[in-house]
Amino acid sequence: MPLVRKLSAFVALSAEEISVLESLRKRRRTFVAGRDLVHQGQSDQTAYILMSGWACSYKILADGQRQIIDFQIPGDFLALRSVLLHMSDHSVEPVTDIEVTEVLKSDLLEAFAQTPRLALAIFWAASRDEAMVVEHLVGIGRRDAAVRVAHFLLELGARLSLVGMGDKAGFACPLTQYFVADAIGLSAVHVNRVLRQLREKGLLTFRDGIVRFDDYDRLVEFAQFDAAYLDQIGPLLA
Amino acid sequence: MPLVRKLSAFVALSAEEISVLESLRKRRRTFVAGRDLVHQGQSDQTAYILMSGWACSYKILADGQRQIIDFQIPGDFLALRSVLLHMSDHSVEPVTDIEVTEVLKSDLLEAFAQTPRLALAIFWAASRDEAMVVEHLVGIGRRDAAVRVAHFLLELGARLSLVGMGDKAGFACPLTQYFVADAIGLSAVHVNRVLRQLREKGLLTFRDGIVRFDDYDRLVEFAQFDAAYLDQIGPLLA
């Protein structure tokens, strides 16, 4: 289960804690690409663990503009913070067909009451999610277009590697340039131009659903990418 | 204690839970304005609860640019997510002289093990913090300068009202225009020009350390400000 693999980067889970997570499997559901499963403004929102496929979280402004907050990959929570807020502050759209397991508010309360280490691991995952949103804020606020695109794809690569879906050579990526554009605050045409520049510099190639890092080390330097905020260097709690 | 007041917006704290929070008072410390108390890249970072004064969290990029992530007011945590990450992903600078109480990793582990409702309330506070960062991301990505400034000051006003430091008339604000500029991705000159426009429109006046909402309802409409993401409408858990 990808979530077990991911949380193991923070805490050495016990057999009991793993079985609590595995027990959630019985509430498995599927959603098709493009049909929102979390709705901005909805109260009593359920959270989900993404088992397979990709999703994106986003907000719509009153004037109809859309800002993508982040993409979710297997092992990530969907709408985790919405469970504790009166209403969800964002929506979630499946980028591909996805499989999820439901996490009810009662599951979360029980985890906090019965398995405090698991609750702490979930809190770690939420802290890491926030660190990613902060990094996206810095990117939109301070990075130029080419660095922003490179940083964005390196972050996805590092996150995917944690759940065995990517490495320094690259990863399979279902995102269209429209998704990338809405996430990093550029137009799709601009994203396309930047991707051509990065390819011509021999740094990366994004084509036919594959991101290939053509020169990983040079790309990391170009993007000033320091993966420390992804906190993937091994369990902090024994 | 402002944190008790703030967490009470989420959960009706028991006498025991309040006494756990009050016991942290014994580790009270002060820091002077401008001297960072949390350092990006530092491991084993302590968190703090802000008791009085204002602080700001920020990131420095490799090229020296700075992006302010958020401001903290009394009752807010400082560096909460850094406690669970191997190293802090950000720095914290006191905007004014501040009083804080230390929250050690062991305090957090104990709260999760012994007082699960309190742990859940802390998780709520972290979820709310993340919702604010998300809103800032949307602001920088999608809002024009005047709307961004107005939204930013309305958010501060709503947050301050939760701890009794502001209302619909306005609030005392120690931020210079440089702080505001670094938070919302504009130059200080641009912020100054926008504030003049907002004043001339009869919406708000920011002068001599006071933000005065001259026409609160019209300002809310102008900024398309919907405070739902601040989740201040009363306890979700009895």
Side-chain angles (χ1 to χ4, degrees), chain B residues 75-200:
Chain B
D76 286 346
F77 284 99
L78 310 179
L80 181 57
R81 72 174 172 281
S82 300
V83 172
L84 293 189
L85 302 180
H86 285 83
M87 53 176 68
S88 182
D89 69 322
H90 65 284
S91 298
V92 177
E93 176 190 332
V95 171
T96 65
D97 293 352
I98 60 173
E99 266 194 314
V100 300
T101 58
E102 278 187 328
V103 180
L104 306 178
K105 186 177 291 175
S106 55
D107 297 321
L108 208 58
L109 299 181
E110 202 174 300
F112 272 74
Q114 306 295 340
T115 47
R117 272 163 43 100
L118 184 56
L120 204 65
I122 293 172
F123 194 28
W124 168 78
S127 296
R128 181 175 178 266
D129 285 350
E130 188 184 355
M132 288 194 282
V133 175
V134 163
E135 195 61 36
H136 299 168
L137 174 69
V138 171
I140 289 190
R142 299 293 181 208
R143 292 193 180 102
D144 78 25
V147 171
R148 219 187 288 176
V149 169
H151 199 280
F152 170 78
L153 294 174
L154 282 167
E155 177 185 285
L156 277 175
R159 292 169 62 191
L160 287 159
S161 74
L162 184 61
V163 289
M165 297 173 65
D167 56 31
K168 287 187 175 180
F171 56 90
C173 181
L175 302 178
T176 64
Q177 291 177 10
Y178 294 97
F179 276 112
V180 177
D182 272 0
I184 62 183
L186 301 172
S187 69
V189 171
H190 199 168
V191 169
N192 191 46
R193 192 184 319 138
V194 165
L195 286 172
R196 196 174 57 236
Q197 289 166 6
L198 293 171
R199 190 174 64 239
E200 286 167 1

Side-chain angles (χ1 to χ4, degrees), chain A residues 9-10 44 59 61-63 65-70 80-87 89-90 105 108-109 112-113 116-117 119-120 122-124 126-138 140-143 181-183 185-186 224 226 228-229 231-237, chain B residues 9-10 44 59 61-63 65-70 80-87 89-90 105 108-109 112-113 116-117 119-120 122-124 126-138 140-143 181-183 185-186 224 226 228-229 231-237:
Chain A
F10 172 67
D44 289 319
K59 273 183 108 141
L61 277 71
D63 63 5
Q65 292 188 88
R66 153 168 158 147
Q67 175 70 47
I68 289 179
I69 303 161
D70 202 359
L80 180 57
R81 73 174 171 281
S82 301
V83 172
L84 293 189
L85 302 180
H86 286 83
M87 53 175 68
D89 69 321
H90 64 283
K105 186 178 290 177
L108 208 57
L109 299 181
F112 271 74
R117 274 161 43 98
L120 204 64
I122 293 172
F123 194 26
W124 167 79
S127 296
R128 180 176 179 267
D129 285 350
E130 188 185 355
M132 288 194 282
V133 175
V134 163
E135 195 61 36
H136 299 168
L137 174 69
V138 171
I140 289 190
R142 298 296 184 204
R143 294 195 178 100
D182 272 359
L186 301 172
Q224 301 178 336
D226 176 354
Y229 68 98
D231 210 53
Q232 298 185 174
I233 54 177
L236 202 60
L237 297 186
Chain B
F10 172 67
D44 289 321
K59 274 183 107 143
L61 278 71
D63 62 7
Q65 290 188 91
R66 154 168 157 146
Q67 174 71 47
I68 289 179
I69 303 160
D70 203 357
L80 181 57
R81 72 174 172 281
S82 300
V83 172
L84 293 189
L85 302 180
H86 285 83
M87 53 176 68
D89 69 322
H90 65 284
K105 186 177 291 175
L108 208 58
L109 299 181
F112 272 74
R117 272 163 43 100
L120 204 65
I122 293 172
F123 194 28
W124 168 78
S127 296
R128 181 175 178 266
D129 285 350
E130 188 184 355
M132 288 194 282
V133 175
V134 163
E135 195 61 36
H136 299 168
L137 174 69
V138 171
I140 289 190
R142 299 293 181 208
R143 292 193 180 102
D182 272 0
L186 301 172
Q224 300 178 336
D226 175 354
Y229 68 99
D231 208 53
Q232 299 184 173
I233 53 176
L236 202 60
L237 297 186

Side-chain angles (χ1 to χ4, degrees), chain A residues 174-200:
Chain A
L175 302 178
T176 64
Q177 292 177 8
Y178 293 96
F179 276 112
V180 177
D182 272 359
I184 62 182
L186 301 172
S187 68
V189 171
H190 199 169
V191 168
N192 191 46
R193 193 184 319 137
V194 166
L195 285 172
R196 195 173 60 235
Q197 289 165 6
L198 292 171
R199 189 173 67 236
E200 287 167 1

Side-chain angles (χ1 to χ4, degrees), chain A residues 3-16:
Chain A
L3 179 63
V4 170
R5 191 163 171 171
K6 177 176 140 182
L7 294 185
S8 299
F10 172 67
V11 54
L13 293 167
S14 70
E16 188 203 340

